[in-house]
Structures are given as C-alpha cells and as structure tokens.
Amino acid sequence: MTGKLIWFEGIPFPRLDYSPEILSSLQESFIIKDEDVLLLTFPKSGTNWLIETVCLIYSKGDPKWVQSEPIWNRSPWVENKYGYELLKEKEGPRLISSHLPIQLFPKSFFNSKAKMIYLIRNPRDVFVSGYFFWRIAKFVEKPESLEEYFEWFIRGNMPFGSWFDHTRGWMSMRDKENFLILSYEEMKWDMRSAVEKICQFLGKKLEPEELDSVLRNSSFQAMKENNMSNYSLVKGLHLEENGHLLRKGVTGDWKNHFTVAQAEIFDKLFQEKMADLPQELFPWE
Ligand code: PPS
C-alpha cells in the first residue's frame, strides 16, 4: 500500500486529513489534561465499539447523545486535522480517540494522570476486518487481493504501520495505574463484565438498568442501525456506497479467510515478535 499515503517518522498515514505539520505539533505541543480519557487502538480493533460504549457509560445508558452526535465529534481522533482542531477548542474533560503508535503520541500524556484504554484484538481478525474495510474506503489504495494485503500487513506497509510494533509499544505501559488493556474478545464474550471493568477504571457507577441500556445500545445491531455511529454519513464521500464499517462483528472470522500456509506464517511471526510478552495479554485462541 504505497499510493495515497504520507509518511511521518517512518509511519504511513492516509493522505486524507493527515499532515506532517499537525503530527509534529501534536507530539510537541498538544496538551493532554489529567481529566481526559483516551481510547487507543490499532485500526480495526473495535475502536468505534469502545467509543460508543464509553459514551453510553458517560450518559448513564441514555442513548440520546450517541443518537444525535456523530461518533467522530463525541470522541475526536486527535491525529487528523478535523479532530485536532475540534479537540483544541473543547472545554472540560474530553474523550479522545487515537490510532497513533506510542512514539508519536503527545508527550504531555506521559506526565499526566489522564486515563487510557488500549483495546486489542486478535491481529488475524484485525487483518481480515482491515482487508474488507480498505476495499470500501475511498481514501487509500485498495488491496487487489487478500494475498497482496497479507504482504502489506506483515510488513506494516499500511496506515499506522505494523500491528506488532504498535501493540508492543503500548503494552510497555501495562503496569501504569492510568492504563487499562481491554480486548475485543472479552467484550464479545462477556460485555457485561467488560463494561463493569471500564466503569471501575473510569470511576463511574451505573445502576443495573443503566448498565442494561449500555449493553443494549452498544450492541452490534444497535450500532449498525445508528446513523451517528455506522458511518453512513460519509458514504459516497469517504466510503463506497455499498460499504459498511460494521461488517460482521465476530471473533475468529480469520479462520474463514486464512490459508493453512498464511496461518503458519502468521503464527511464526507472532512468536518471533511477541514471545517475550506475557501470553495472558492475548486472550484469543
Ligand atoms: S476503525 O476504522 O479502525 O476505526 O475500525 P474499528 O472501529 O476499530 O473496527 C471495526 C470493527 O469493529 C467491529 N464492531 C463491532 N463488533 C461487535 N460489536 C459492535 N457493537 C461493533 N461495532 C464495531 C466492526 O464490525 C469491525 O469488525 P469486522 O470484523 O470488520 O466486522
């Protein structure tokens, strides 16, 4: 994937709405405040699901906010021009989303008390989700085939670079009090416990009926029907008319797409790159 990308400090970004000037000033001078909450992911890990869930926790399960304001305004992406400008003007505690690798993140975060949730997902499912997404996105070069995309993914030659480097980088924060690692898989397998975990981390308390409403309104079906969260507002502009961000929403879809050879290459690479990290950080099979 080399077309329609810009490179900043060795990391590729989509050309649309990203610039080296912003990425550079972000790192040096964007101030993260102690009361901010940061939602960090490698692309296609369930970012929008996490954002929706946290917004619903903030509104105590009331869906009015998530149904009336686009998701990219509720928790703007700090690294794109649109989100950066919005966040600079925002008063009070902010929700901030980001796909940035740790080395490009605003330096002010590392001396702040701001809380960060890092959401991970089985990279094989991240790969499959990305393959289908980049084919419906209008702002990057589309992979011709799964084989071609496999090469891009393995080399980190795609927006935000290598999953392995991204994950290793952020995992180095795992012992910090203000850093929570959550997985797409645990959200999928037991969303009630995942929401309780997020609430505890953020110091939020929900009544049982409020928690039920968070679960209902953050479900795959509810989000797929919510025009403020399903990206239908940018269809035709940034996404193809027939494209869906909420594609399948399952774990283990990679088994339907990987060849045996690809699975073996991937396992070997995972071992090489991640073997020294505690394997319980990666809850998928
Ligand atoms: S992006 O473009 O990087 O911000 O995409 P991201 O939101 O990180 O990831 C998109 C995948 O998350 C799935 N998704 C969900 N799964 C389960 N439940 C809910 N509510 C939900 N919302 C989004 C979405 O379907 C994409 O995964 P795939 O595997 O492609 O379906």
Side-chain angles (χ1 to χ4, degrees):
M1 194 183 274
T2 47
K4 298 189 186 173
L5 292 178
I6 56 160
W7 293 74
F8 180 76
E9 297 194 6
I11 302 290
F13 291 86
R15 202 168 284 275
L16 175 85
D17 216 22
Y18 293 85
S19 77
E21 293 72 32
I22 287 195
L23 290 166
S24 166
S25 97
L26 179 66
Q27 234 180 321
E28 297 303 327
S29 50
F30 187 86
I31 302 299
I32 301 281
K33 305 175 199 162
D34 286 344
E35 63 272 25
D36 290 336
V37 170
L38 302 147
L39 308 175
L40 244 294
T41 61
F42 188 81
K44 314 321 293 179
S45 301
T47 329
N48 289 281
W49 190 13
L50 178 64
I51 299 172
E52 197 83 337
T53 304
V54 173
C55 289
L56 284 160
I57 291 173
Y58 271 52
S59 67
K60 292 192 165 288
D62 185 339
K64 244 186 265 134
W65 189 31
V66 301
Q67 290 174 358
S68 59
E69 191 167 4
I71 195 159
W72 50 81
N73 287 352
R74 283 182 259 131
S75 180
W77 264 264
V78 69
E79 60 266 23
N80 64 33
K81 288 182 206 162
Y82 179 81
Y84 178 77
E85 295 302 332
L86 207 61
L87 283 167
K88 276 200 310 191
E89 304 303 320
K90 250 191 181 173
E91 300 286 334
R94 300 168 296 184
L95 289 178
I96 302 178
S97 303
S98 177
H99 291 316
L100 283 174
I102 190 166
Q103 71 276 16
L104 299 186
F105 206 69
K107 290 182 177 158
S108 58
F109 166 66
F110 300 96
N111 293 319
S112 80
K113 295 195 178 91
K115 292 183 178 173
M116 176 178 287
I117 303 178
Y118 186 60
L119 182 69
I120 57 168
R121 185 182 190 186
N122 187 335
R124 300 161 187 85
D125 286 331
V126 167
F127 165 82
V128 171
S129 179
Y131 172 66
F132 288 103
F133 182 73
W134 299 124
R135 285 172 66 91
I136 56 147
K138 289 183 147 186
F139 53 90
V140 288
E141 184 185 340
K142 295 185 198 314
E144 293 281 327
S145 65
L146 205 105
E147 291 68 37
E148 182 176 52
Y149 185 61
F150 193 78
E151 289 305 313
W152 294 352
F153 193 94
I154 295 284
R155 294 211 200 106
N157 194 5
M158 48 184 289
F160 301 93
S162 152
W163 179 91
F164 300 96
D165 295 347
H166 197 280
T167 306
R168 285 190 69 84
W170 281 113
M171 287 283 182
S172 67
M173 296 282 294
R174 66 185 180 280
D175 293 330
K176 304 262 186 257
E177 244 177 41
N178 60 340
F179 189 80
L180 175 73
I181 298 177
L182 195 73
S183 70
Y184 181 96
E185 287 72 19
E186 64 182 303
M187 288 173 76
K188 208 52 216 174
W189 295 333
D190 185 357
M191 184 58 170
R192 184 174 293 273
S193 301
V195 172
E196 284 167 349
K197 195 171 179 179
I198 299 172
C199 285
Q200 192 178 11
F201 177 67
L202 298 180
K204 302 273 179 196
K205 175 139 182 34
L206 294 178
E207 296 304 325
E209 62 280 8
E210 294 169 345
L211 175 54
D212 288 343
S213 182
V214 171
L215 298 180
R216 233 182 2 262
N217 288 291
S218 62
S219 72
F220 184 79
Q221 201 49 40
M223 281 186 68
K224 203 170 168 68
E225 288 165 14
N226 181 359
N227 288 341
M228 295 297 145
S229 310
N230 63 14
Y231 285 70
S232 55
L233 294 177
V234 293
K235 270 193 188 173
L237 183 64
H238 300 320
L239 299 185
E240 302 292 353
E241 286 294 348
N242 58 353
H244 298 286
L245 176 99
L246 285 105
R247 186 186 60 94
K248 251 186 174 177
V250 298
T251 60
D253 192 32
W254 67 273
K255 293 175 191 160
N256 300 317
H257 297 280
F258 273 49
T259 62
V260 173
Q262 284 170 335
E264 282 174 8
I265 295 171
F266 208 101
D267 285 353
K268 194 158 167 275
L269 191 64
F270 192 92
Q271 272 308 310
E272 273 169 32
K273 301 256 190 192
M274 315 303 270
D276 58 324
L277 288 169
Q279 293 306 292
E280 58 272 18
L281 291 174
F282 309 117
W284 47 84
E285 310 126 29

Coordinates of all heavy atoms in Angstrom, one line a residue, residues 105-151:
F105 N 2.8 9.8 20.0 CA 1.7 10.3 20.8 C 2.1 11.6 21.5 O 3.3 11.8 21.8 CB 1.3 9.3 21.9 CG -0.1 9.5 22.3 CD1 -1.2 9.2 21.4 CD2 -0.5 9.9 23.6 CE1 -2.5 9.4 21.8 CE2 -1.8 10.2 23.9 CZ -2.8 9.9 23.1
P106 N 1.2 12.5 21.8 CA 1.6 13.8 22.5 C 2.4 13.5 23.8 O 1.9 12.7 24.6 CB 0.2 14.4 22.9 CG -0.7 13.9 21.8 CD -0.2 12.5 21.5
K107 N 3.5 14.1 23.9 CA 4.4 13.9 25.0 C 3.8 14.2 26.3 O 4.1 13.6 27.4 CB 5.7 14.6 24.8 CG 6.5 14.1 23.6 CD 7.8 14.8 23.4 CE 8.6 14.2 22.3 NZ 9.6 15.1 21.7
S108 N 2.9 15.2 26.3 CA 2.3 15.6 27.6 C 1.5 14.5 28.3 O 1.4 14.5 29.5 CB 1.3 16.8 27.3 OG 0.3 16.4 26.4
F109 N 1.1 13.5 27.5 CA 0.3 12.4 28.1 C 1.1 11.7 29.2 O 0.7 11.3 30.3 CB -0.2 11.4 27.1 CG -0.6 10.1 27.7 CD1 -1.8 10.1 28.5 CD2 0.1 8.9 27.5 CE1 -2.2 8.9 29.0 CE2 -0.3 7.7 28.0 CZ -1.5 7.7 28.8
F110 N 2.4 11.6 28.9 CA 3.3 10.7 29.8 C 3.6 11.3 31.1 O 4.1 10.6 32.0 CB 4.5 10.3 29.0 CG 4.2 9.5 27.7 CD1 4.1 10.2 26.5 CD2 3.8 8.2 27.8 CE1 3.7 9.5 25.3 CE2 3.4 7.5 26.6 CZ 3.3 8.2 25.4
N111 N 3.2 12.6 31.3 CA 3.4 13.2 32.6 C 2.0 13.5 33.2 O 1.9 14.3 34.1 CB 4.2 14.5 32.5 CG 5.6 14.2 32.2 OD1 6.2 13.2 32.6 ND2 6.2 14.9 31.2
S112 N 1.0 13.0 32.6 CA -0.4 13.4 33.1 C -1.0 12.2 33.8 O -0.5 11.1 33.8 CB -1.3 13.8 31.9 OG -1.7 12.6 31.2
K113 N -2.2 12.5 34.4 CA -2.9 11.4 35.1 C -4.1 11.0 34.2 O -5.0 10.2 34.6 CB -3.5 11.9 36.4 CG -2.4 12.3 37.4 CD -3.1 12.5 38.8 CE -2.0 12.8 39.8 NZ -1.8 14.2 40.1
A114 N -4.1 11.4 32.9 CA -5.2 11.1 32.0 C -5.3 9.5 31.9 O -4.2 8.9 31.9 CB -5.0 11.7 30.7
K115 N -6.5 9.0 31.8 CA -6.7 7.6 31.8 C -6.7 7.1 30.3 O -7.4 7.8 29.5 CB -7.9 7.1 32.5 CG -7.8 7.4 34.0 CD -9.0 6.9 34.7 CE -8.8 7.1 36.2 NZ -10.0 6.8 37.0
M116 N -6.1 6.0 30.0 CA -6.1 5.5 28.7 C -6.6 4.0 28.7 O -6.1 3.2 29.5 CB -4.7 5.5 28.1 CG -4.6 4.9 26.7 SD -2.9 5.1 26.0 CE -2.8 6.8 25.6
I117 N -7.5 3.7 27.7 CA -7.9 2.3 27.5 C -7.3 1.9 26.1 O -7.5 2.6 25.1 CB -9.4 2.2 27.4 CG1 -10.1 2.7 28.7 CG2 -9.8 0.7 27.2 CD1 -11.6 2.7 28.7
Y118 N -6.5 0.9 26.2 CA -5.9 0.3 25.0 C -6.6 -0.9 24.6 O -6.6 -1.9 25.3 CB -4.4 0.1 25.2 CG -3.7 -0.4 23.9 CD1 -3.6 0.5 22.8 CD2 -3.0 -1.6 23.8 CE1 -3.0 0.1 21.6 CE2 -2.3 -1.9 22.6 CZ -2.3 -1.1 21.5 OH -1.7 -1.4 20.4
L119 N -7.3 -0.9 23.5 CA -8.2 -2.0 23.1 C -7.4 -2.9 22.0 O -7.0 -2.3 21.0 CB -9.5 -1.5 22.5 CG -10.4 -2.6 22.0 CD1 -11.0 -3.4 23.2 CD2 -11.6 -2.1 21.2
I120 N -7.2 -4.2 22.3 CA -6.5 -5.0 21.4 C -7.5 -6.0 20.8 O -8.6 -6.3 21.4 CB -5.3 -5.7 22.0 CG1 -5.7 -6.6 23.2 CG2 -4.2 -4.8 22.4 CD1 -4.7 -7.5 23.7
R121 N -7.1 -6.6 19.7 CA -8.0 -7.7 19.1 C -7.0 -8.6 18.4 O -5.9 -8.2 17.9 CB -8.9 -7.0 18.0 CG -9.9 -7.9 17.4 CD -10.7 -7.2 16.3 NE -11.8 -8.0 15.8 CZ -12.6 -7.7 14.8 NH1 -12.5 -6.5 14.2 NH2 -13.6 -8.5 14.5
N122 N -7.4 -9.9 18.3 CA -6.6 -10.9 17.6 C -6.2 -10.3 16.2 O -7.0 -9.9 15.4 CB -7.5 -12.1 17.3 CG -6.7 -13.3 16.7 OD1 -5.7 -13.0 16.1 ND2 -7.2 -14.5 16.9
P123 N -4.9 -10.1 16.0 CA -4.4 -9.5 14.8 C -4.9 -10.2 13.5 O -4.9 -9.6 12.5 CB -2.9 -9.5 14.9 CG -2.6 -10.6 15.9 CD -3.8 -10.6 16.8
R124 N -5.2 -11.4 13.6 CA -5.7 -12.2 12.4 C -7.1 -11.6 12.1 O -7.4 -11.4 10.9 CB -5.8 -13.7 12.7 CG -4.4 -14.3 13.1 CD -4.6 -15.6 13.8 NE -3.3 -16.1 14.2 CZ -2.7 -15.8 15.4 NH1 -3.3 -14.9 16.2 NH2 -1.6 -16.3 15.7
D125 N -7.9 -11.3 13.1 CA -9.2 -10.7 12.8 C -9.1 -9.2 12.4 O -9.8 -8.7 11.6 CB -10.1 -10.8 14.0 CG -10.7 -12.2 14.2 OD1 -10.8 -13.0 13.2 OD2 -10.9 -12.7 15.3
V126 N -8.0 -8.5 13.0 CA -7.7 -7.2 12.6 C -7.4 -7.1 11.1 O -7.8 -6.3 10.3 CB -6.6 -6.6 13.4 CG1 -6.0 -5.3 12.9 CG2 -7.0 -6.4 14.9
F127 N -6.6 -8.1 10.7 CA -6.2 -8.3 9.3 C -7.4 -8.4 8.4 O -7.6 -7.7 7.4 CB -5.3 -9.5 9.2 CG -5.0 -9.9 7.8 CD1 -4.1 -9.3 7.0 CD2 -5.8 -11.0 7.3 CE1 -3.9 -9.7 5.7 CE2 -5.6 -11.4 6.0 CZ -4.7 -10.8 5.2
V128 N -8.3 -9.3 8.8 CA -9.5 -9.6 7.9 C -10.4 -8.4 7.8 O -10.9 -8.0 6.8 CB -10.3 -10.9 8.4 CG1 -11.6 -11.0 7.7 CG2 -9.4 -12.1 8.2
S129 N -10.6 -7.8 9.0 CA -11.5 -6.6 9.1 C -10.9 -5.5 8.2 O -11.6 -4.9 7.4 CB -11.7 -6.2 10.5 OG -12.5 -5.0 10.6
G130 N -9.6 -5.3 8.3 CA -8.9 -4.3 7.5 C -9.0 -4.6 6.1 O -9.2 -3.6 5.3
Y131 N -8.8 -5.8 5.7 CA -8.9 -6.1 4.3 C -10.2 -5.7 3.7 O -10.2 -5.0 2.6 CB -8.7 -7.7 4.1 CG -8.9 -8.1 2.7 CD1 -8.0 -7.7 1.6 CD2 -10.0 -8.9 2.3 CE1 -8.3 -8.1 0.3 CE2 -10.2 -9.3 1.0 CZ -9.4 -8.9 0.0 OH -9.6 -9.2 -1.3
F132 N -11.3 -6.0 4.3 CA -12.6 -5.7 3.8 C -12.8 -4.1 3.9 O -13.4 -3.6 3.0 CB -13.7 -6.5 4.5 CG -13.7 -7.9 4.0 CD1 -13.2 -8.9 4.8 CD2 -14.2 -8.2 2.8 CE1 -13.2 -10.2 4.4 CE2 -14.2 -9.6 2.3 CZ -13.7 -10.5 3.1
F133 N -12.3 -3.5 4.9 CA -12.5 -2.1 5.1 C -11.8 -1.3 4.0 O -12.3 -0.4 3.4 CB -12.1 -1.6 6.5 CG -12.4 -0.2 6.7 CD1 -13.6 0.3 6.9 CD2 -11.3 0.7 6.7 CE1 -13.9 1.7 7.1 CE2 -11.5 2.1 6.9 CZ -12.8 2.6 7.1
W134 N -10.5 -1.6 3.8 CA -9.7 -0.8 2.9 C -10.3 -1.0 1.5 O -10.1 -0.1 0.6 CB -8.2 -1.2 2.9 CG -7.6 -0.9 4.3 CD1 -6.9 -1.8 5.0 CD2 -7.6 0.3 5.0 NE1 -6.5 -1.2 6.2 CE2 -6.9 0.1 6.3 CE3 -8.1 1.6 4.8 CZ2 -6.7 1.0 7.2 CZ3 -7.9 2.6 5.8 CH2 -7.3 2.3 7.0
R135 N -11.0 -2.0 1.2 CA -11.6 -2.2 -0.1 C -12.8 -1.3 -0.3 O -13.2 -1.0 -1.4 CB -12.0 -3.7 -0.3 CG -10.7 -4.5 -0.6 CD -11.0 -6.0 -0.6 NE -11.9 -6.4 -1.7 CZ -11.5 -6.7 -2.9 NH1 -10.2 -6.8 -3.2 NH2 -12.4 -7.1 -3.8
I136 N -13.4 -0.9 0.8 CA -14.6 0.0 0.7 C -14.2 1.5 1.0 O -15.0 2.4 0.8 CB -15.8 -0.4 1.6 CG1 -15.3 -0.5 3.1 CG2 -16.4 -1.7 1.1 CD1 -16.4 -0.1 4.0
A137 N -12.9 1.7 1.4 CA -12.5 3.1 1.8 C -12.1 3.7 0.5 O -11.4 3.1 -0.4 CB -11.4 3.0 2.8
K138 N -12.4 5.0 0.3 CA -12.0 5.7 -0.9 C -10.7 6.5 -0.8 O -10.2 7.0 -1.7 CB -13.1 6.8 -1.3 CG -14.4 6.2 -1.8 CD -15.4 7.2 -2.1 CE -16.3 6.8 -3.3 NZ -17.1 8.0 -3.7
F139 N -10.2 6.5 0.5 CA -9.0 7.4 0.7 C -7.7 6.6 0.8 O -6.7 7.2 1.2 CB -9.3 8.2 2.0 CG -9.7 7.4 3.2 CD1 -8.7 7.0 4.1 CD2 -11.0 7.1 3.4 CE1 -9.1 6.3 5.2 CE2 -11.4 6.4 4.5 CZ -10.4 6.0 5.4
V140 N -7.7 5.3 0.6 CA -6.4 4.6 0.5 C -6.4 3.7 -0.7 O -7.4 3.5 -1.3 CB -6.1 3.7 1.7 CG1 -5.8 4.6 3.0 CG2 -7.3 2.8 2.0
E141 N -5.2 3.2 -1.1 CA -5.1 2.3 -2.2 C -5.8 1.0 -1.8 O -5.6 0.5 -0.7 CB -3.6 2.0 -2.5 CG -3.4 1.2 -3.7 CD -1.9 0.9 -3.8 OE1 -1.1 1.7 -3.3 OE2 -1.6 -0.1 -4.5
K142 N -6.6 0.5 -2.7 CA -7.4 -0.8 -2.3 C -6.5 -2.0 -2.6 O -5.9 -2.1 -3.6 CB -8.6 -0.9 -3.2 CG -9.7 0.2 -2.9 CD -10.9 -0.1 -3.7 CE -11.8 1.1 -3.9 NZ -12.1 1.9 -2.7
P143 N -6.4 -2.9 -1.6 CA -5.7 -4.2 -1.9 C -6.4 -4.9 -3.0 O -7.6 -5.0 -3.1 CB -5.7 -4.9 -0.6 CG -6.8 -4.3 0.2 CD -7.0 -3.0 -0.3
E144 N -5.6 -5.5 -3.9 CA -6.2 -6.2 -5.1 C -6.7 -7.6 -4.6 O -7.6 -8.1 -5.2 CB -5.1 -6.5 -6.1 CG -4.6 -5.2 -6.8 CD -5.5 -4.8 -7.9 OE1 -6.2 -5.6 -8.5 OE2 -5.6 -3.6 -8.1
S145 N -6.0 -8.1 -3.6 CA -6.3 -9.5 -3.2 C -5.9 -9.7 -1.7 O -5.1 -8.9 -1.2 CB -5.5 -10.5 -4.0 OG -4.1 -10.4 -3.8
L146 N -6.4 -10.7 -1.1 CA -6.0 -11.0 0.2 C -4.5 -11.3 0.4 O -3.9 -10.9 1.3 CB -6.9 -12.2 0.7 CG -7.0 -12.3 2.2 CD1 -8.5 -11.8 2.6 CD2 -6.8 -13.7 2.7
E147 N -4.0 -11.9 -0.7 CA -2.6 -12.2 -0.7 C -1.7 -11.0 -0.6 O -0.8 -10.8 0.1 CB -2.2 -13.1 -1.9 CG -2.7 -14.5 -2.0 CD -4.2 -14.5 -2.2 OE1 -4.8 -13.7 -2.9 OE2 -4.9 -15.4 -1.6
E148 N -2.1 -10.0 -1.5 CA -1.4 -8.7 -1.5 C -1.5 -8.0 -0.1 O -0.5 -7.6 0.4 CB -2.0 -7.8 -2.6 CG -1.2 -6.5 -2.7 CD -1.7 -5.6 -3.8 OE1 -2.9 -5.4 -3.9 OE2 -0.9 -5.2 -4.6
Y149 N -2.7 -8.0 0.4 CA -2.9 -7.4 1.7 C -2.1 -8.1 2.8 O -1.6 -7.4 3.7 CB -4.4 -7.3 2.1 CG -4.6 -6.5 3.3 CD1 -4.3 -5.2 3.4 CD2 -5.2 -7.1 4.4 CE1 -4.5 -4.4 4.5 CE2 -5.4 -6.4 5.6 CZ -5.1 -5.0 5.6 OH -5.3 -4.3 6.8
F150 N -2.0 -9.4 2.7 CA -1.2 -10.2 3.7 C 0.3 -9.6 3.7 O 0.8 -9.4 4.8 CB -1.2 -11.6 3.3 CG -0.7 -12.6 4.4 CD1 -1.5 -12.9 5.5 CD2 0.5 -13.1 4.3 CE1 -1.1 -13.7 6.5 CE2 1.0 -14.0 5.3 CZ 0.2 -14.3 6.4
E151 N 0.8 -9.4 2.5 CA 2.2 -8.9 2.4 C 2.3 -7.5 3.1 O 3.2 -7.2 3.9 CB 2.6 -8.8 1.0 CG 2.9 -10.1 0.3 CD 3.9 -10.9 1.1 OE1 4.9 -10.4 1.5 OE2 3.6 -12.1 1.4

